[in-house]
Amino acid sequence: MENVVVVVEDRPQRGRRRQLLGLYEGVPITEWGKGGALAELPDQITLFTRTIEDVAVTEENVPHVIRETLWHEIAHHFGFDHD
């Protein structure tokens, strides 16, 4: 991946779904060059630690939830939707 940063925050900001584990913000590479989108700023993947810990339930399961969430958000970077 190029031009992507990963950020870790406690919880999603107000106005976002409270159970959000991660968030991709940017232009998927399948859309680069379409519609005049500029790629000056890096895309951003945010992982929300408190929500991940809540969903993981046990400390041992936290790495699994992080891995699954990160792969999910990386897939958005490569143009995959939720389906």
Side-chain angles (χ1 to χ4, degrees), residues 7-9 18-19 24-25 35 40 45 58 61-62 72 83:
V7 176
V8 177
E9 294 183 6
R18 298 302 294 164
Q19 288 294 15
Y24 169 75
E25 297 174 289
E40 291 180 18
I45 294 172
T58 66
N61 200 32
V62 169
H72 176 93
D83 293 333

Side-chain angles (χ1 to χ4, degrees), residues 1-19:
M1 293 187 325
E2 293 181 33
N3 207 31
V4 179
V5 296
V6 177
V7 176
V8 177
E9 294 183 6
D10 282 342
R11 291 203 182 273
Q13 295 175 346
R14 289 184 185 194
R16 296 207 187 267
R17 287 189 0 221
R18 298 302 294 164
Q19 288 294 15

